[in-house]
Amino acid sequence: MSVPKSEYLSSVWAPGIFANRVVFVTGGAGTICSAQTRAMVHLGADACIIGRNPEKTEKAAKDIAKVRSGARVIGIGNVDVRNFDNLKAAAERCVKELGAIDFVIAGAAGNFIAPISGLSPNAFKTVIDIDTIGTFNTVKATIPYLIESAARNPNPNPNGLTGGRIISVSATFHYSGMPLQAHVSAAKAAVDSLMASVSLEYGPYGVTANVIAPGAIEGTEGMERLASSAVDKKKMTKAVPSGRWGSRRDIADATVYLFSDAGNYVNGTTLVVDGAGWRRQGGNDIGIDEGMEYPDFLFTGQISKNLKDGRKQKSKL
Ligand code: COA
């Protein structure tokens, strides 16, 4: 299914700004990361997207390749970011087939709604493993190629082309703390901290490392998992100072900015793309229905039944 350009890229960017560059994306078949990849490919890049599900990943790669004639997009399935060897092999294949890795998006993530009392040690560890260890593994597997790319692409580059850049897709829950999100808040705080260390240790090699923190983004699997489908949408959007949920394009545009010549001196920071939502996130719309109020739902153990929940039956809790 072809996606209209207006859904993944605004019209301000010049064509070809990522020509002959390669972007490596974990979780690249997901709703947000596929929009980021589409935007990069539209503007000239080739791409390698990584995922656990081979059919979903390969199908997404084929679809993304359609945004630009001549684009090369590889989908590598059966890769779990928790497994470093898998990721390393995927990075090697990307370089072998596409010639380089100039940009990395560490986007693979796991989330579900659960109070601490409903999180087994393995549930907590699972999200830390996917988000935090997965981001670390992605950095480790790709940093040698990013250093090479940064050496080929001095910052600033007289020709306006860039390389040697990594972003991770984080969240804002940990800024205030969020009921039912202890696991993700801890994992994403660590991701932010890790990316700061990457900027400190690899900035001197010419690499930039930043974080994009999306707020509530419309039409994503993440929001299907976090926001009850039975909650009044108008009320939820009203809580965001900018008056709406974000779009995939908002995140893709932020990605293009950080990877482009316009983002040369942005390093070691977090770009929050959330319509100022986190400044009001003391509310408790995540994971609950109308009528469930903080802290009552914690005492009764209620959470919304109107969430996409992939929890398996074998759960010990
Ligand atoms: N509430 C509480 N615990 C849950 C849960 C839920 N809704 N869903 C899973 N868990 C627990 C499991 O019970 C298990 O713990 P246990 O062994 O002690 O019972 C643990 O988490 C691991 O679950 P499992 O299903 O084996 O892990 P997985 O590796 O197959 O899947 C998840 C990882 C759980 C993060 C799954 O939701 C996933 O694959 N998510 C990817 C997509 C995604 O989350 N996208 C949104 C990004 S914002």
Side-chain angles (χ1 to χ4, degrees):
M1 193 188 67
S2 87
V3 180
K5 184 193 160 208
S6 59
E7 288 189 15
Y8 63 83
L9 194 64
S10 65
S11 55
V12 299
W13 309 107
I17 55 174
F18 299 122
N20 303 315
R21 300 296 185 274
V22 177
V23 61
F24 181 91
V25 188
T26 69
T31 29
I32 290 184
C33 295
S34 64
Q36 293 171 294
T37 312
R38 251 176 238 283
M40 294 295 293
V41 172
H42 189 101
L43 295 172
D46 289 327
C48 184
I49 65 170
I50 314 303
R52 277 194 287 172
N53 180 323
E55 290 81 35
K56 185 179 169 192
T57 308
E58 282 157 29
K59 188 165 167 271
K62 280 201 186 107
D63 195 51
I64 293 169
K66 290 183 199 150
V67 306
R68 180 175 52 80
S69 154
R72 292 180 300 165
V73 181
I74 308 173
I76 308 182
N78 288 320
V79 179
D80 190 320
V81 291
R82 291 171 278 192
N83 182 320
F84 175 70
D85 293 339
N86 278 355
L87 257 181
K88 189 166 175 280
E92 283 165 3
R93 184 175 153 197
C94 176
V95 173
K96 196 164 168 224
E97 293 188 25
L98 300 178
I101 295 177
D102 299 291
F103 305 105
V104 173
I105 299 172
N111 200 357
F112 48 80
I113 289 288
I116 293 171
S117 60
L119 277 173
S120 68
N122 187 45
F124 188 84
K125 179 178 178 298
T126 297
V127 172
I128 297 286
D129 280 348
I130 297 173
D131 292 20
T132 309
I133 309 292
T135 302
F136 178 79
N137 287 344
T138 305
V139 170
K140 286 292 279 186
T142 60
I143 201 75
Y145 306 112
L146 290 176
I147 291 171
E148 287 173 13
S149 176
R152 288 191 302 273
N153 295 285
N155 180 350
N157 198 343
N159 63 18
L161 293 172
T162 53
R165 299 191 181 185
I166 179 166
I167 59 169
S168 81
V169 181
S170 186
T172 61
F173 305 131
H174 50 298
Y175 301 169
S176 58
M178 173 77 73
L180 311 179
Q181 288 286 273
H183 43 325
V184 180
S185 300
K188 295 298 195 184
V191 165
D192 292 3
S193 176
L194 172 63
M195 295 305 282
S197 298
V198 175
S199 71
L200 287 166
E201 294 191 17
Y202 294 102
Y205 291 89
V207 172
T208 71
N210 292 292
V211 171
I212 290 180
I217 304 296
E218 181 99 53
T220 58
E221 182 177 359
M223 285 317 288
E224 279 179 21
R225 284 169 179 266
L226 303 182
S228 161
S229 57
V231 150
D232 179 1
K233 179 82 191 300
K234 258 199 196 141
K235 200 177 134 206
M236 283 189 85
T237 51
K238 241 175 114 179
V240 180
S242 290
R244 65 173 175 90
W245 279 9
S247 66
R248 287 168 276 184
R249 190 179 87 169
D250 292 322
I251 306 304
D253 277 332
T255 306
V256 170
Y257 163 64
L258 290 173
F259 283 163
S260 76
D261 198 36
N264 286 346
Y265 202 50
V266 184
N267 193 10
T269 197
T270 297
L271 181 51
V272 181
V273 185
D274 77 335
W278 81 265
R279 296 186 180 281
R280 301 202 64 238
Q281 75 187 4
N284 40 9
D285 289 319
I286 290 294
I288 57 171
D289 289 329
E290 292 315 340
M292 296 182 187
E293 283 183 18
Y294 180 86
D296 309 356
F297 66 85
L298 294 173
F299 296 125
T300 58
Q302 273 180 299
I303 57 171
S304 172
K305 300 279 175 253
N306 300 296
L307 300 162
K308 180 177 172 183
D309 183 0
R311 192 172 194 181
K312 293 168 190 153
Q313 292 311 310
K314 66 178 172 57
S315 165
K316 292 167 199 127
L317 272 175

